[in-house]
Amino acid sequence: MIYADNSATTKVKPEVLEKMLPFLQGQYGNPSSLYAFAYDSKRAVENAREEVAKVIGAKAREIFFTSCGSESNNWVIKGVASKYRDKGNHIITSCIEHPAIIQTCKYLEKQGFRVTYLPVDEYGSVSPEDVRKAICEDTILISVMMANNEIGTIQPIREIGEIAKEKDILFHTDAVQAFGHIPINVDELNIDFLSLSGHKIGTPKGIGALYIRTGIKIDNLIHGGGQEKNRRAGTENVPYIVGLGEAARLANENMAKNIEKLTAMRTALVERVLKIPYTKLTGHPTNRLPGLCSIIIEGIEGEALLLNMYNEGICASSGSACSSGSLDPSHVLLSIGLPHHIAHGSLRLSLGEDNEPGDEIKIAEAVEKVAARLRAMSPVWENGKPMWE
Amino acid sequence: MYSEKVLDHFSNPRNVGELEGANAVGQVGNPKCGDIMKMYMKIENDVVVDVTFKTFGCGAAVATSSMATEMVKGKTVEEALKLTNRAVAEALDGLPPEKLHCSVLAEEAIQSAIADYYKRQGKDPKDYGINVCDGNCEHCHAHK
């Protein structure tokens, strides 16, 4: 089997598991306890905080552990909204955010907030000028993702951060797909809040974090005990936090090497697959995540495509309606201007550091085989082209 | 999420392709919804002697097309018209709830092909109680 769905989740790294194991076995002390037995837990949590902070150029005390990326996103959006609602009720985000942002914003709209969902261009890029134009005196937050989870486009975060700073508006970025995969420096990019998740970089599912710039206050999402400096209640998930720390350390250490390797493999994969007629790469041609590519194969439905890919031994995903259980294909593919009948034929392949050189060729061969097979049985494919051509 | 039978019919679909000498052809669905089924039949003396399909759609759409062709082959036109989407879904050991509309499409593809058969004979399909897909996705999705 070739796993090419690393944007969905990643394999737990053996080094990560090894660091976690003592905290799943003998070292079960509560970091809040005051006796020496629990110190190891406390120390391990703080070491992990340090490692996570290093990846984004932050200070350890600016990292707050959460249960997942969605919690981080919920926390920042709801926490800013309730803290600053006297100052304003307007939030700016983009129309291609993850549902953890979009649905949270929809919820806030029901509470009386106004949300601007900025459009994107054909590559899925937000225009910084659009951000500037959307700002009004009621704007309390700008939230634009660092890299898109479906098409891989990296957003102009630096430019948006400059505008946010100039206008003195809080700026959040959902970096779940970017963290540990591309260089990030929260100071250089003027980022006030950053969401991240562990299972995209080799931890088990169920651990995330939110970076909050020193001095910025937001309301809590989870109320209770005094953990995480009174900002996120709940006994610390010590083993998973330790795992996130180790995964962050490894991601940082190997980032340059992985970017080079995955960019080369993804480029070769895309080049080969695009030789199939009536195919198209979605997302920005160059300004994109190293390992992710989303390809449209016209005349084929995406779920059928990925089930067939699995029959060929390859794990992938799709933005088609059928793969999401709704009537519409992914909001991201529609937002970049693809019509429904084209967006149904999407295939997302996301390579990770466990992929071996040569996998990209095997994947491309499988795509060729599957595309030919499904097009041969497609009533919308005739004489070597789709009926809408 | 899919049964073994669905995966089998999806991975090894029966009766795929166009059918030479077909005297009944029907197409239902809409590319906007992401599923289109085309059914080809050869009908002799009111018996479906051969049937094939082409489908643009998800795994469930392909599997229900394949199963439906197996279920109507050799049947009289009257029997074929009685085939329900539930019967097709049951023959596949069930479909996930959100995929039931795919089986509706299979039922309607059969009806559409037989409607074409009647039309070619100068008969009105409505006289035989045939409802044909109107190309509106909501129509199928409301069925379930």
Side-chain angles (χ1 to χ4, degrees):
Chain A
M1 185 185 89
I2 295 177
Y3 187 76
D5 205 11
N6 286 278
S7 295
T9 197
T10 56
K11 183 171 125 187
V12 176
K13 290 194 168 128
E15 303 93 322
V16 169
L17 180 64
E18 198 182 318
K19 289 272 181 181
M20 291 173 67
L21 279 175
F23 298 92
L24 290 162
Q25 293 168 329
Q27 291 180 29
Y28 52 82
N30 187 325
S32 303
S33 298
L34 295 176
Y35 35 80
F37 172 62
Y39 290 175
D40 282 347
S41 298
K42 177 75 179 160
R43 205 171 300 126
V45 166
E46 296 316 314
N47 283 343
R49 208 184 300 281
E50 191 77 45
E51 294 296 347
V52 171
K54 270 186 212 162
V55 182
I56 57 172
K59 299 171 196 80
R61 63 171 187 275
E62 297 174 311
I63 302 296
F64 299 88
F65 294 112
T66 63
S67 64
C68 59
S70 290
E71 185 193 324
S72 301
N73 283 338
N74 267 264
W75 181 11
V76 68
I77 302 280
K78 291 174 184 169
V80 167
S82 65
K83 181 79 188 169
Y84 298 101
R85 76 181 311 159
D86 292 342
K87 201 180 154 215
N89 71 341
H90 181 232
I91 293 168
I92 297 170
T93 186
S94 86
C95 59
I96 61 161
E97 297 296 311
H98 188 274
I101 294 288
I102 295 203
Q103 294 305 323
T104 306
C105 286
K106 298 262 178 220
Y107 165 77
L108 286 178
E109 283 186 279
K110 285 188 203 147
Q111 313 295 313
F113 286 87
R114 283 192 309 118
V115 180
T116 300
Y117 302 91
L118 294 173
V120 291
D121 64 15
E122 60 178 311
Y123 300 125
S125 304
V126 172
S127 148
E129 268 320 294
D130 283 351
V131 175
R132 186 186 291 279
K133 282 182 208 150
I135 293 170
C136 62
E137 57 179 17
D138 284 332
T139 308
I140 51 174
L141 179 68
I142 298 168
S143 176
V144 175
M145 73 199 324
M146 187 158 290
N148 184 266
N149 50 310
E150 290 189 35
I151 58 175
T153 300
I154 298 171
Q155 298 297 341
I157 294 301
R158 182 183 301 271
E159 291 80 356
I160 298 170
E162 276 169 16
I163 294 168
K165 191 178 183 192
E166 176 196 323
K167 300 281 185 182
D168 197 22
I169 294 168
L170 295 173
F171 178 39
H172 166 248
T173 189
D174 169 1
V176 166
Q177 293 290 345
F179 175 76
H181 293 286
I182 56 172
I184 302 171
N185 185 296
V186 288
D187 287 337
E188 285 174 15
L189 300 174
N190 290 308
I191 293 165
D192 296 313
F193 311 100
L194 179 146
S195 302
L196 63 97
S197 171
H199 75 109
K200 313 293 190 189
I201 59 163
T203 78
K205 295 128 195 79
I207 184 71
L210 180 65
Y211 155 81
I212 306 177
R213 181 173 290 282
T214 301
I216 297 179
K217 292 188 170 65
I218 62 170
D219 282 353
N220 289 359
L221 181 70
I222 312 277
H223 298 90
Q227 293 88 357
E228 300 293 285
K229 295 189 218 67
N230 283 315
R231 299 183 86 165
R232 198 277 188 183
T235 303
E236 297 86 343
N237 187 353
V238 178
Y240 280 57
I241 289 172
V242 169
L244 177 56
E246 179 65 4
R249 189 186 70 77
L250 290 167
N252 213 18
E253 194 176 286
N254 300 318
M255 194 183 295
K257 192 175 76 189
N258 283 332
I259 290 175
E260 191 181 345
K261 169 184 151 177
L262 294 178
T263 303
M265 285 174 73
R266 185 254 303 159
T267 307
L269 171 60
V270 170
E271 261 174 31
R272 173 88 181 252
V273 170
L274 291 189
K275 286 191 180 138
I276 303 171
Y278 296 99
T279 53
K280 166 184 164 64
L281 174 73
T282 58
H284 197 278
T286 52
N287 198 14
R288 55 186 304 128
L289 288 172
L292 188 160
C293 59
S294 166
I295 288 154
I296 297 289
I297 305 178
E298 290 191 45
I300 296 177
E301 193 280 330
E303 192 212 68
L305 194 51
L306 69 91
L307 289 173
N308 259 287
M309 288 296 285
Y310 190 65
N311 284 346
E312 299 297 319
I314 291 159
C315 297
S317 60
S318 170
S320 77
C322 265
S323 53
S324 68
S326 79
L327 271 180
D328 288 322
S330 111
H331 67 293
V332 177
L333 298 176
L334 296 179
S335 295
I336 59 173
L338 296 179
H340 279 67
H341 60 275
I342 305 270
H344 284 302
S346 84
L347 177 69
R348 183 185 72 176
L349 298 159
S350 43
L351 304 169
E353 63 175 286
D354 281 340
N355 285 110
E356 286 166 19
D359 280 1
E360 72 278 17
I361 301 303
K362 290 180 194 151
I363 296 168
E365 283 168 355
V367 175
E368 288 165 357
K369 187 174 165 188
V370 166
R373 177 175 186 267
L374 288 172
R375 279 176 171 175
M377 62 189 283
S378 171
V380 299
W381 186 261
E382 270 172 11
N383 305 320
K385 59 183 185 188
M387 69 178 194
W388 41 79
E389 270 303 314
Chain B
M1 80 185 226
Y2 283 136
S3 71
E4 292 278 324
K5 268 197 187 164
V6 172
L7 289 175
D8 174 39
H9 273 265
F10 168 72
S11 303
N12 312 292
R14 283 60 149 175
N15 311 313
V16 186
E18 292 174 24
L19 181 62
E20 211 170 305
N23 58 351
V25 180
Q27 180 170 311
V28 294
N30 179 332
K32 188 169 181 266
C33 309
D35 37 26
I36 295 187
M37 257 177 227
K38 193 165 185 179
M39 198 103 21
Y40 304 79
M41 292 181 180
K42 197 188 280 180
I43 301 174
E44 286 170 10
N45 302 321
D46 277 355
V47 173
V48 181
V49 295
D50 206 356
V51 51
T52 63
F53 77 93
K54 283 181 114 179
T55 289
F56 164 77
C58 63
V62 173
T64 53
S65 314
S66 166
M67 179 55 90
T69 57
E70 287 221 306
M71 292 173 85
V72 297
K73 205 178 214 173
K75 296 276 163 60
T76 65
V77 169
E78 204 178 323
E79 286 167 331
L81 282 176
K82 283 185 190 150
L83 184 72
T84 63
N85 74 302
R86 297 226 163 247
V88 177
E90 273 166 29
L92 287 165
D93 291 340
L95 285 172
E98 73 276 13
K99 297 288 185 179
L100 273 177
H101 70 271
C102 297
S103 61
V104 176
L105 213 58
E107 175 190 320
E108 296 200 342
I110 291 167
Q111 306 243 339
S112 169
I114 294 174
D116 179 51
Y117 170 70
Y118 284 131
K119 275 189 218 156
R120 291 189 195 198
Q121 294 180 338
K123 297 173 182 170
D124 185 352
K126 278 188 195 137
D127 294 343
Y128 298 86
I130 299 175
N131 294 312
V132 179
C133 167
D134 60 2
N136 173 2
C137 302
E138 302 295 342
H139 161 73
C140 257
H141 288 258
H143 256 281
K144 294 191 178 172

